[in-house]
Structures are given as C-alpha cells and as structure tokens.
Amino acid sequence: MSAALSTSPDPHRRTAFADAVTEATGLDRPAIEAFLRAFYGAARQDPLLGPAFAGVADWEAHIAQLTRFWCSVALMTGEYHGQPMRAHAHLDLAPEHFSRWLALFERTACASFSPEGAGHMLDRARRIARSLEMGLIPLALPASPRRPAPGDHP
Ligand code: HEM
C-alpha cells in the first residue's frame, strides 16, 4: 500500500489533484489534521479501541504520521511512506475493532466535513480498513465435514 501511495506521477499533477479535491469537498491539510485530532481523541476514550492505543508513546508524532497518511490517501500528496499492515500486526485486532473504528470514523467525519468531504474520506477509509482487516485476521473457515470411515453406520 505504501508504494501505491508514494508513486503518484509528477508533483504538478499531484497539486492539481489536491486543489481539485479541496475545491469539490473542502478537504485540505488543516481540516484533515483537525479531524484526526477529534477522531483519535474519541478513539482513545472508546472502551473497545482505547486499550489498543495505550502503547502510543508520542501522540504528536502519531497525529503527524496519520496526517501524512490521510493527505496521501485523500489528496494524493505522496508524502506517506509507512507500512500500516506492519504497524497493526502486534495489536491482536478482531472484526469488532474494525466495525467500531469505522463507526467512529464515520460519526467524526460527518461532524467535521461537508457531506462531500465526509464521503471522500469514508470511501477510502472503508476500502483501506477492509484490506487491513483481510490481511491481519485469518479467515475462520468452517471445519471440513468428516468423511465417513469404513465401518461407519449411516
Ligand atoms: C481497527 C482498529 C484500529 C486500531 C485499534 C488501530 C490502532 C493503531 C495503533 C496502536 C497504531 C500505532 C501507533 C504508534 O505506535 O505510533 C496505529 C497506526 C496506524 N494506523 Fe491504525 N488502528 C486501527 C485501524 C486502522 C485503520 C482502519 C486505518 C486506515 C484506514 C489505520 C491507519 C493507521 C496508520 C496509517 C498508522 C501509522 C502506521 C505507521 O506508523 O506508518 N488504522 N493504529
């Protein structure tokens, strides 16, 4: 994912894309950073999500990294070079964490942005959350039915 976010074409096209998104949705760096502060303020208080964030030692560094991530995702600024899958690998996340994260993200986005801005962020959040969840949580496949052994009665 990081490669896809950091290999967008030339800087002029990136700026043109960011300007077009800002014009259509109101999203820009200050709005995204303010949203992230509100979202993570709420996530830290959440009984299900909060404990996962207890290990974050430097919140300003975390918000700065997430601002780079979301500006790359939403405005295609190409400035994020991290590895989200690896950052979550040790957190033991379950499907409930993802549903709660998305519900909180949606609520905060709707309160922070125009409907177009919230939609732009939410489309991307849902797609990325799905791919993170699929990468991190092994599928619970049902056990295959037992083959009848010789001598079994029907
Ligand atoms: C399911 C619930 C989630 C929890 C509990 C969670 C928690 C965390 C934690 C604890 C970190 C590490 C912070 C640090 O030590 O600095 C982190 C990093 C990060 N998270 Fe999540 N996360 C969740 C879902 C998501 C989703 C759905 C996304 C994206 C849509 C996301 C994007 C990121 C990014 C970009 C980073 C920074 C990775 C890096 O350092 O480059 N997270 N998250």
Side-chain angles (χ1 to χ4, degrees):
M1 181 182 348
S2 56
L5 292 179
S6 57
T7 53
S8 83
D10 71 74
H12 300 294
R13 281 180 59 192
R14 280 189 199 158
T15 311
F17 182 86
D19 290 348
V21 172
T22 303
E23 175 146 356
T25 64
L27 293 174
D28 58 13
R29 174 177 295 272
I32 288 174
E33 185 183 331
F35 158 77
L36 290 169
R37 289 187 185 279
F39 173 67
Y40 283 98
R44 290 170 78 177
Q45 304 295 321
D46 182 88
L48 181 64
L49 300 176
F53 291 104
V56 177
D58 182 345
W59 271 96
E60 282 307 307
H62 187 48
I63 294 289
Q65 177 76 331
L66 286 159
T67 303
R68 287 189 285 275
F69 174 77
W70 279 105
C71 287
S72 291
V73 168
L75 308 174
M76 289 204 3
T77 55
E79 65 196 281
Y80 175 76
H81 306 285
Q83 295 187 301
M85 198 70 85
R86 186 174 288 184
H88 297 87
H90 64 289
L91 294 175
D92 203 19
L93 298 177
E96 305 79 80
H97 291 102
F98 284 92
S99 337
R100 179 71 60 83
W101 189 101
L102 276 171
L104 199 55
F105 192 98
E106 179 169 0
R107 197 186 315 149
T108 317
C110 290
S112 307
F113 300 130
S114 67
E116 295 77 16
H120 188 85
M121 293 288 280
L122 264 168
D123 281 351
R124 284 151 181 84
R126 291 193 182 112
R127 253 187 284 129
I128 298 165
R130 194 178 318 127
S131 83
L132 265 184
E133 184 174 353
M134 284 174 62
L136 289 168
I137 304 177
L139 268 185
L141 294 173
S144 52
R146 196 174 73 85
R147 289 169 193 235
D152 270 4
H153 295 288

